[in-house]
Amino acid sequence: MSLLFKIGFLEISIVNMIDIALVAALLYQVYKLLKGSVAIKIFLGFLSIYLIYLLVRALRMELLSSILGQFMGVGVIAAIIIFAPEIRKFLLLIGRSSFLSNDNIWKDLLFFWKKRENGTFNISPIVDASKILAGSNTGALIVISKSTELKFYAESGDILDAELSKRLLISIFNKYSPLHDGAVIIHNGKIKAARCILPVTEREVPAQFGLRHRAAIGMSEATDAIVLVVSEETGQLSITKNGKVLHNMSFQEIRETINDYLNNEEVDSRFEDIQEYELKKKRKLAMTSKT
């Protein structure tokens, strides 16, 4: 183990630096995952107690170290119980970013000599239907997935496996249709299911975002899909991805974003974090009130 430098009695090696960097990166990712939720305060509380425990143990305060040591031993089990939803979300995040999450991975490995089919399809029915739905202030929730069929979420609704068409989407989201209450899942140019139940985000979102937007954000947090939302109140269109949102989009922006997503182009940088969006909105209101 090669020594880099010494600080008093501490000997710092390359392995120590790598260890510190990995722990810092892990803590940063955990902070990003918990940011905006109530769990972040609990996490900071646990972290503070652990740092105090390390300090008193280094100072050899035996009694306090023993008490905090017992607490930390039970605290691991308590943390697993308290942070169960966040741990599940973290594992989903790892699973969806893994190449093994692709349903076609085994086909690609077994039949590597065959050319892989393009995951893109004609999205004009989605854009055309969203124009009509937005014009009539008809709420809609459309999940578009490029990697998996999202069977778990599709099975929560009614399986259709129908060809994608504008008329079918409009019929599904018609206010008098029995299928309108819920989300539509689209994969590989087909409407896989309708009336699907989506996970609702546990993060704090602006008051202007209703249940549809909360479900869209929650679905984009749990999967790598993008979700198109048509607001029933305003008729405005939004897209969510990775827990972030693009709000009040034009139909051309909708087309470009979905096409770029299906073509595996980088679109994440276009989306805004919910908290950042709220801050920008407050700044705009403050500037208009001054003028």
Side-chain angles (χ1 to χ4, degrees), residues 40-250:
I40 186 64
K41 296 179 181 179
I42 303 173
F43 172 72
L44 292 175
F46 268 110
L47 187 61
S48 301
I49 293 173
Y50 182 65
L51 291 175
I52 294 170
Y53 168 67
L54 293 178
L55 179 63
V56 297
R57 195 173 67 171
L59 296 173
R60 297 186 178 180
M61 298 179 179
E62 299 296 336
L63 182 59
L64 191 56
S65 179
S66 175
I67 294 171
L68 290 176
Q70 293 294 327
F71 178 80
M72 293 308 300
V74 179
V76 173
I77 301 173
I80 294 173
I81 297 171
I82 294 171
F83 293 109
E86 283 73 23
I87 292 171
R88 180 176 177 273
K89 191 184 295 183
F90 179 70
L91 294 175
L92 282 170
L93 185 67
I94 295 173
R96 79 178 186 187
S97 61
S98 171
F99 73 97
L100 292 175
S101 64
N102 194 334
D103 286 347
N104 296 321
I105 185 66
W106 304 114
K107 292 180 182 178
D108 292 342
L109 292 174
L110 293 174
F111 305 103
F112 58 89
W113 62 86
K114 292 186 178 180
K115 186 178 179 181
R116 188 171 179 177
E117 294 181 2
N118 196 340
T120 60
F121 54 88
N122 182 19
I123 66 165
S124 292
I126 300 175
V127 179
D128 294 340
S130 64
K131 288 180 182 179
I132 296 173
L133 294 170
S136 59
N137 280 28
T138 302
L141 198 55
I142 302 174
V143 181
I144 303 165
S145 174
K146 65 178 176 182
S147 59
T148 65
E149 297 181 9
L150 303 175
K151 291 181 180 178
F152 175 79
Y153 299 102
E155 288 172 356
S156 67
D158 297 322
I159 303 297
L160 298 181
D161 200 26
E163 291 296 329
L164 179 62
S165 73
K166 177 183 73 173
R167 289 186 178 87
L168 182 54
L169 285 174
I170 295 170
S171 299
I172 289 172
F173 290 112
N174 184 287
K175 295 177 182 179
Y176 301 102
S177 168
L179 299 176
H180 84 282
D181 190 16
V184 159
I185 294 177
I186 297 174
H187 174 68
N188 201 22
K190 286 193 172 184
I191 300 177
K192 292 296 177 180
R195 206 175 59 85
C196 300
I197 300 172
L198 305 185
V200 178
T201 183
E202 296 177 2
R203 298 163 62 193
E204 294 181 5
V205 298
Q208 70 183 83
F209 291 151
L211 186 58
R212 279 193 183 88
H213 289 87
R214 291 179 63 86
I217 294 168
M219 186 66 171
S220 68
E221 288 173 342
T223 68
D224 66 346
I226 62 173
V227 187
L228 173 63
V229 186
V230 181
S231 173
E232 188 173 354
E233 289 77 18
T234 62
Q236 293 179 342
L237 280 76
S238 306
I239 287 184
T240 64
K241 188 178 189 297
N242 291 337
K244 297 182 178 181
V245 64
L246 274 174
H247 191 55
N248 196 16
M249 300 179 69
S250 67

